[in-house]
Amino acid sequence: QLAKAINFGLLYGMGAGTFAKYAQSNYGVTLTEEEAQQYRALFFDAYPGLRRWHRRQAGATDGKAITTRTLLGRYRLEVMKYAEKLNTPVQGSGADGLKAALALLWERRHECPSARVVLAVHDELVVEVPRDDAERAQEWLVRCMEDGMRPLLDPVPCVVEATIAPTWGG
């Protein structure tokens, strides 16, 4: 839970105080502000490129709106808030990859013709399929999602997890 709080909190530019509150409210992890600052320092020591990117975004506007882009070049106009400058390239690029995965699922539907994509939310897809085809659909889904994200992340590997469950809720 701490790793999730660090990754999702600090990626989007939280300071130590906000990070400590976020870790508690979202992940049940209690941190003092000093501990939160230590984790923050360690995180940015491990990812100095991310620190540089955050600093560039902080000073990018000089009080004026800017345009920010995803890795595929999709843009968002008139961004002024620091969190939005950080969020759009990350979340937007994830959305671009998910859209590419959806296109691949359609193009490759012959690989698992009984499967139907019924829901897409953030970074998740729900596929309905007869029980007998569940494992085949799982492999098809994982392959398409990894192939959809790979061009955005290369050389960083993309790992996709898929769960077979009797209901949408798992």
Side-chain angles (χ1 to χ4, degrees), residues 25 28 51 57 59 84 86 91 98 129 158 166-167:
S25 65
R51 175 187 286 135
Q57 298 311 307
E84 290 176 352
L86 299 176
Q91 293 288 339
L98 187 71
V129 63
C158 175
T167 68

Side-chain angles (χ1 to χ4, degrees), residues 14-129:
M14 290 181 184
T18 303
F19 169 55
K21 291 175 190 167
Y22 173 79
Q24 176 63 49
S25 65
N26 289 280
Y27 298 99
V29 176
T30 303
L31 299 171
T32 65
E33 195 161 333
E34 293 75 28
E35 290 170 328
Q37 184 57 45
Q38 289 174 334
Y39 282 117
R40 193 174 184 281
L42 289 169
F43 179 81
F44 287 111
D45 285 348
Y47 301 103
L50 193 55
R51 175 187 286 135
R52 286 189 301 276
W53 178 61
H54 277 205
R55 287 181 177 161
R56 279 196 313 271
Q57 298 311 307
T61 64
D62 293 327
K64 298 175 187 161
I66 64 164
T67 298
T68 186
R69 296 185 177 276
T70 68
L71 292 172
L72 286 183
R74 209 164 37 90
Y75 60 91
R76 184 173 178 183
L77 299 173
E78 299 189 16
V79 176
M80 291 191 67
K81 293 181 181 175
Y82 178 64
E84 290 176 352
K85 292 183 220 175
L86 299 176
N87 182 285
T88 298
V90 176
Q91 293 288 339
S93 296
D96 289 346
L98 187 71
K99 290 173 189 172
L102 285 166
L104 290 172
L105 287 166
W106 177 254
E107 289 174 8
R108 300 173 184 176
R109 65 191 179 278
H110 64 277
E111 294 177 19
C112 195
S114 65
R116 299 289 181 264
V117 177
V118 296
L119 184 64
V121 179
H122 299 290
D123 60 350
E124 295 185 23
L125 298 174
V126 175
V127 177
E128 286 186 344
V129 63

